[in-house]
Structure formats: structure tokens, C-alpha cells
Amino acid sequence: MDLELMLKVYPFFLQAAWVTILLSVLTALLGLICGTLGAAARLSRFAVLRFLGAAYVSVFRGTPALIQLFILYFGGPQVGIQLDAFQAGVIGLGINAGAYMTETIRGAIIAIDKGQREAARTLGLSRWQATYKVILPQAARLMVRPLGVNLNMLIKATALVAAISVVELTYTAQRYIGSTYKPFEMFLLAGLLYMIIIYVTGRGVAWLDRRVQIT
Amino acid sequence: MTEQTDFVEIRHAQKSFGTLEVLKDINLTVRRGQIVGIIGSSGSGKSTLLRAINDLDPLTGGEIWLDGVQVNKKLPHRQYEKHINAMRQQVGMVFQHFNLFPHMTARENVTMAPMLLKKISREEADALAREQLDKVGMLNRIDYYPSQLSGGQKQRVAIARALAMKPKLMLFDEATSALDPELVEEVNMVMKQLAEEHMTMIIVTHEMDFAASVCDRVLFMDKGVVVEEGPPEVLFRNPAKERTREFLRKHLEGAK
Ligand SMILES: Nc1ncnc2c1ncn2[C@@H]1O[C@H](COP(=O)(O)OP(=O)(O)O)[C@@H](O)[C@H]1O
Ligand SMILES: [Mg+2]
């Protein structure tokens, strides 16, 4: 193992890791937005919205994320969608993550005992008031862990955007392999940095989970 | 309305879940200040009837009137929601499993709805929480979460929560059935106290002694119909119908 080489290229990997982090943060935010809308649609009183929500989930969970990225980035221009690789990465991965988060958020909401909504409604709260005062605060606590799992998956999925040449960790590793012919060292370095990012995120999620629990 | 005395009126109530007919032509009148008990074996439709009054399980036929206003009137969706929310504010409901909000303290459980719906100030809410929790003997637990309370304490907070909306009518659906026997009395005491204050109440219960001691009238339901009704001393001591006698025999045996 060529430690000296690893130490030499390490600063460039660190820079690439920041791109991975930025990509992850933006993807997570977009995913949360899509997931919230998706869950609201899945739980709507309107059948059309429920259908659209279900279709969103099955399409985006039912096809490889890589194909979704390729369609958006390579196929997009054909139908008038011009995005640079980074934008396509965030949007593609974000919409994909949103499909998983839809199910996470919906799952947490339907896990709340139906007596909770009933108690709120008998006091005179409207459907929406019962949702935001009683259901969502409890569901939010249930969501933290499974959303943490979604986040973990999403960070790893950012490696896919190397295939549309976003200069993040995985792409950087591949580029340095081209010039150094040391795939073991380069991928190891990338893997280590992914591990650190995921470890720190996981600790953050565990901390948040502890914070929000009811005494 | 002129008939101020007929406070709750249920006319030809009918309810089906799919093909299962759970309520069959139920008629019931409750006068202001009256306390009506409903007894009957499990599955006879007691909860469904109580829940219909609050529109949690809307009827499939018949009418429910509360203080001169029809609860289940036909209205377009948005208007109906407004109407039903206003109706529900006047009716307190207490559930077998308490259904306290676990993320709120006793105080917050009590004040959430009045603050949200009646726009009372924080000071007023605070006074209200103290008043209502004191009434059920829970003032010393005002900042406890439900998970820190016993079953009987939870149910008393749930009653305080319902009372905080100043309801005209209280519905109790087996309020003590989920409690350990030694905790039943503290909840019954609170209900007796409400009875003394002439709160109008409909009480579904399995406790015949309790029903006999607080109710002005008791209904015996079986398979979706009211088999027999009358003052407790008549219904319990001298029932007219064989089905009532059989139920009471089984039930009193079970209690021994
Ligand atoms: N939401 C529902 N869907 C289908 N059946 C129901 C529902 N709620 C109650 N039932 C049925 O209605 C009947 C009466 O139930 P319920 O009113 O809870 O009886 P009780 O309170 O007297 O025990 C039972 O057979 C029960 O299974
Ligand atoms: Mg019942």
C-alpha cells in the first residue's frame, strides 16, 4: 500500500468530499420536500392525489436511480431540460430520495394511534388542526430514525453522480486512478471519507433522536 | 327551540358498517341535566351509538339533535366540517383508553384546545388548567406527562381536558374498563361529582353498581337495539324482558 501517495493526493479528495457533502445536503433537503408532499398526497382525502402519490413512489423506487439520473441528464436536453451535471445530480437524487422518504413519513403518520386524532377531533379541532397539533408532533419523533436511514442511503447514492461526471468523491477517485494506476489506495481513500461523513451524520441523527423523545 | 328539555334527541338512528347493521332504529331522548347509562354485552353497539353523537362514526340513517341543532345534517363538505367542529366543542368525550396526547403535559393536554379554538390568553389558559385539574384532583401533577401517570390519573386528566371546553354534554365510553380495579374508584368519584353538578351525561359502562348509583335512567342494548330502558331501580331489580334478565344474571354472576 502506497501511503505516501495517499497522503499526497488526500487534500484533493478532501475537496471532493465537500462536494459530496454539499450534494448530500441539497439532495436531503429536496428529498424532504418531495417526501412531505408525497406523504401528504398519499394520505389525502382525494383519490386522485392518493393515486399520484402512489405512482410517484412506485416509479421512483421501482427503477434504478442511475437510470433516473441518465434520463434526466442525457435524455433531458432532448425534451428541453438543460441541466449541468451537478444540478441534474441534486434534482435526480432528490426526487429519488423523496420517494423513499414519502414512505417513511407516511409510515410514521399512520403509526400514530387513531384514538389520538379522534380525541383531537372530539375537542373540536379541524382535520388540519388535529394533524399539526397532535399527529405531526408525535409522528416527527417516530420519523427521525427511519429518515436517518434514508439519509445514510442517500449519501451513498451520491456516488452515482460520478457517472454523469460530477466531480465528487467517487469521480475524483476514478480520475486519480487514471493517473496513478493505484485503484486500491484511491478507492480506499474515498471509502474512508464516505465512512467519516456517514459516521458523523449517524451520530447527529442519534443525538437528534434522543433530543426529541418525550421524557 | 322551544323544547328546551329535550336536550339530546336521537331519532331512528341506523348504522351499518358495510353489510353489518350495528344500530337498528335507536331512539333516545336525554333531558338537560339527566344522566343516562347504557349497558349491554360487548359488540351490541354501545360505542357506535356514543360515537355517532360526536359524528366519529356518522350514522347511515336517522337524526341526532343536540340542544335544538341537528348534529348530522346534510351540508356541503366544507360547511359540514365547520358545523361539526362547532358541535363537537359542545360535547366532551372520554375514551376507554384515555387517548391523552403523550407529547403534552397534563396542563397542555387541558389547554391546547381552548387556546386554539377559543383564543384564550396564556393567563386564562393557566387559570383554566389549574381549575380543571384541581377539580379532578390532579393539580399536583400539572406538569407531568401522561407516561408519568397511572391509568386512573390519566383518565382524570382526560376528563379535565374534556371539561376545559365547557361542554354541554359529556360522553363516557367505558371510562374505567381499562383500569386496574383499585384505580376505578378515583375516576368514578369524579364522575359522581359531575353528576352532582348536574352535568348532562351519557355513560356506557360495565359497572352495574355505578350505573345504579348515578344514572337517572339506564338503557339495555343488545344486537343494535334498545331492548329495555327505565330507572335503574326498575331495570336492575325488576326487568321486564327476558333478555335483560339473562344479561344481568350473567353479569352479576361474573362480578362475584
Ligand atoms: N369501524 C368499524 N368497522 C366495522 N365494524 C365495526 C366498526 N366499529 C364497530 N364495528 C362493529 O360494530 C359492532 C358494535 O360495536 P361497538 O359499538 O363497539 O359495540 P360495543 O361498544 O357495544 O361493544 C361490533 O360487531 C363491531 O365489530
Ligand atoms: Mg365499546
Side-chain angles (χ1 to χ4, degrees):
Chain A
M1 199 161 75
D2 193 341
L3 266 180
E4 208 178 321
L5 174 66
M6 282 170 81
L7 285 172
K8 211 176 107 205
V9 298
Y10 148 81
F12 302 102
F13 277 67
L14 213 55
Q15 251 178 354
W18 283 112
V19 178
T20 290
I21 290 169
L22 182 63
L23 205 55
S24 300
V25 169
L26 294 176
T27 301
L29 288 177
L30 181 59
L32 270 178
I33 293 168
C34 293
T36 305
L37 294 175
R42 291 273 272 130
L43 296 168
S44 165
R45 18 187 213 99
F46 301 107
V48 185
L49 288 179
R50 287 200 299 273
F51 172 80
L52 288 175
Y56 166 53
V57 170
S58 52
V59 167
F60 284 89
R61 294 203 315 182
T63 51
L66 193 58
I67 295 292
Q68 294 163 23
L69 279 176
F70 283 168
I71 291 176
L72 185 63
Y73 184 62
F74 297 118
Q78 237 176 290
V79 291
I81 303 172
Q82 293 283 357
L83 297 168
D84 67 37
F86 187 83
Q87 291 167 340
V90 168
I91 293 171
L93 291 177
I95 294 175
N96 178 269
Y100 289 90
M101 291 184 180
T102 293
E103 289 305 271
T104 302
I105 294 169
R106 172 176 168 273
I109 290 172
I110 62 179
I112 304 301
D113 186 84
K114 80 182 197 352
Q116 290 290 309
R117 181 178 291 281
E118 288 183 351
R121 295 306 305 271
T122 55
L123 289 167
L125 272 69
S126 69
R127 211 178 125 91
W128 169 241
Q129 286 170 329
T131 301
Y132 87 82
K133 279 287 187 184
V134 173
I135 306 299
L136 289 181
Q138 295 182 60
R141 293 170 164 90
L142 291 183
M143 270 174 222
V144 174
R145 273 169 182 280
L147 280 177
V149 175
N150 292 144
L151 185 60
N152 173 302
M153 305 292 282
L154 159 171
I155 294 169
K156 291 182 286 194
T158 60
L160 292 173
V161 301
I164 56 173
S165 39
V166 178
V167 188
E168 43 65 78
L169 258 179
T170 303
Y171 187 85
T172 301
Q174 286 168 345
R175 201 159 68 178
Y176 277 90
I177 291 162
S179 54
T180 62
Y181 305 102
K182 300 272 184 170
F184 182 76
E185 283 83 350
M186 296 303 108
F187 281 135
L188 195 68
L189 202 49
L192 268 173
L193 288 168
Y194 276 116
M195 214 175 91
I196 293 169
I197 294 169
I198 285 170
Y199 177 77
V200 171
T201 313
R203 293 305 299 257
V205 169
W207 174 82
L208 187 62
D209 185 56
R210 275 196 309 276
R211 271 294 301 270
V212 299
Q213 289 319 309
I214 303 160
T215 49
Chain B
M1 284 285 286
T2 46
E3 298 166 89
Q4 277 297 297
T5 48
D6 286 351
F7 188 56
V8 181
E9 206 180 344
I10 299 176
R11 296 182 196 147
H12 305 295
Q14 194 276 342
K15 172 72 183 179
S16 301
F17 290 108
T19 54
L20 180 70
E21 196 179 14
V22 177
L23 299 179
K24 302 166 189 165
D25 194 30
I26 304 264
N27 292 286
L28 169 64
T29 306
V30 182
R31 294 205 255 151
R32 198 184 294 275
Q34 227 178 17
I35 298 165
V36 173
I38 304 180
I39 59 170
S41 42
S42 179
S44 55
K46 306 180 298 295
S47 295
T48 307
L49 179 63
L50 216 57
R51 292 161 57 84
I53 297 172
N54 233 328
D55 207 50
L56 286 178
D57 287 329
L59 291 180
T60 39
E63 294 179 359
I64 296 176
W65 292 75
L66 175 67
D67 206 7
V69 181
Q70 188 177 354
V71 175
N72 60 339
K73 62 180 164 193
K74 297 266 172 294
L75 286 172
H77 179 79
R78 288 184 143 235
Q79 274 167 271
Y80 187 75
E81 282 289 298
K82 260 188 124 155
H83 158 74
I84 205 66
N85 292 340
M87 294 307 291
R88 283 171 173 158
Q89 291 189 32
Q90 305 169 37
V91 181
M93 181 144 188
V94 175
F95 301 88
Q96 183 177 351
H97 295 288
F98 330 125
N99 298 352
L100 281 180
F101 307 130
H103 59 301
M104 298 181 191
T105 60
R107 182 202 304 270
E108 291 162 346
N109 265 279
V110 171
T111 56
M112 186 270 284
M115 285 180 76
L116 190 64
L117 302 172
K118 298 188 169 170
K119 312 281 179 222
I120 62 171
S121 69
R122 186 155 286 285
E123 292 72 42
E124 289 170 299
D126 211 57
L128 182 67
R130 293 179 161 279
E131 177 199 350
Q132 297 303 336
L133 287 169
D134 190 29
K135 191 166 173 165
V136 299
M138 289 296 293
L139 188 53
N140 59 347
R141 296 283 189 275
I142 189 165
D143 288 316
Y144 282 47
Y145 283 92
S147 61
Q148 300 168 312
L149 302 175
S150 73
Q153 294 175 329
K154 281 183 200 166
Q155 194 60 297
R156 288 189 278 150
V157 173
I159 294 171
R161 173 178 71 179
L163 292 175
M165 287 300 288
K166 312 279 179 196
K168 296 173 172 175
L169 169 70
M170 286 288 288
L171 308 173
F172 292 85
D173 191 1
E174 297 194 30
T176 56
S177 293
L179 298 178
D180 293 333
E182 72 272 19
L183 302 178
V184 168
E185 197 44 38
E186 64 188 62
V187 175
N188 282 348
M189 290 283 285
V190 171
M191 292 167 70
K192 278 186 180 148
Q193 187 189 325
L194 286 177
E196 279 158 24
E197 293 166 13
H198 304 289
M199 171 65 82
T200 313
M201 301 195 266
I202 304 179
I203 301 173
V204 171
T205 183
H206 278 149
E207 288 182 81
M208 303 305 147
D209 289 338
F210 178 70
S213 68
V214 299
C215 296
D216 300 306
R217 217 162 92 231
V218 177
L219 273 68
F220 168 59
M221 276 182 72
D222 192 31
K223 301 194 175 79
V225 298
V226 177
V227 176
E228 185 170 353
E229 65 170 288
E233 53 279 12
V234 177
L235 193 103
F236 287 123
R237 298 230 186 90
N238 198 5
K241 301 274 170 60
E242 177 51 35
R243 266 203 279 179
T244 316
R245 278 198 286 272
E246 193 187 332
F247 171 80
L248 289 172
R249 204 157 46 231
K250 271 194 208 145
H251 224 88
L252 297 178
E253 263 167 33
K256 275 170 197 154

